[in-house]
Amino acid sequence: LIWLALAAIAVGVLTMAFDLSLPMQVIDFVFLSLIIAFSAKRFLRDKPIVRKDLQDRVTHLLVDEFQDTDPLQAEILLLRTPA
């Protein structure tokens, strides 16, 4: 059920990305990455049941090259960890 909700959000995010980029007639990896990361952060922050489910399912996470993560990515990782 939770993964179905995630899929629905992903479709909404991609639709938003294309709607925003259509007037400019351009979409690139950075633009799409930012929209997806921002939406993931907001989703994890605003949906405690989803955050808890993810924390329960994924008990270990290895982040290679952590020094290269940006603040948005770091916040997503922190939201994913138990309190």
Side-chain angles (χ1 to χ4, degrees):
L1 182 63
I2 290 175
W3 300 113
L4 185 60
L6 288 173
I9 294 216
V11 169
V13 167
L14 291 174
T15 301
M16 181 177 63
F18 287 113
D19 288 347
L20 289 171
S21 65
L22 196 57
M24 298 179 288
Q25 296 183 342
V26 64
I27 190 165
D28 65 1
F29 177 76
V30 174
F31 178 74
L32 191 56
S33 296
L34 283 173
I35 288 178
I36 291 171
F38 181 76
S39 297
K41 180 194 86 159
R42 190 175 61 210
F43 188 68
L44 287 172
R45 183 193 65 211
D46 296 347
K47 304 288 184 191
I49 192 165
V50 173
R51 186 172 59 245
K52 175 77 169 99
D53 184 63
L54 185 61
Q55 291 166 351
D56 292 344
R57 289 174 186 258
V58 182
T59 59
H60 294 80
L61 187 65
L62 173 67
V63 179
D64 188 28
E65 304 286 340
F66 183 79
Q67 72 275 8
D68 294 332
T69 60
D70 61 44
L72 180 58
Q73 294 166 334
E75 190 172 352
I76 292 168
L77 289 170
L78 290 174
L79 283 168
R80 208 226 51 79
T81 59

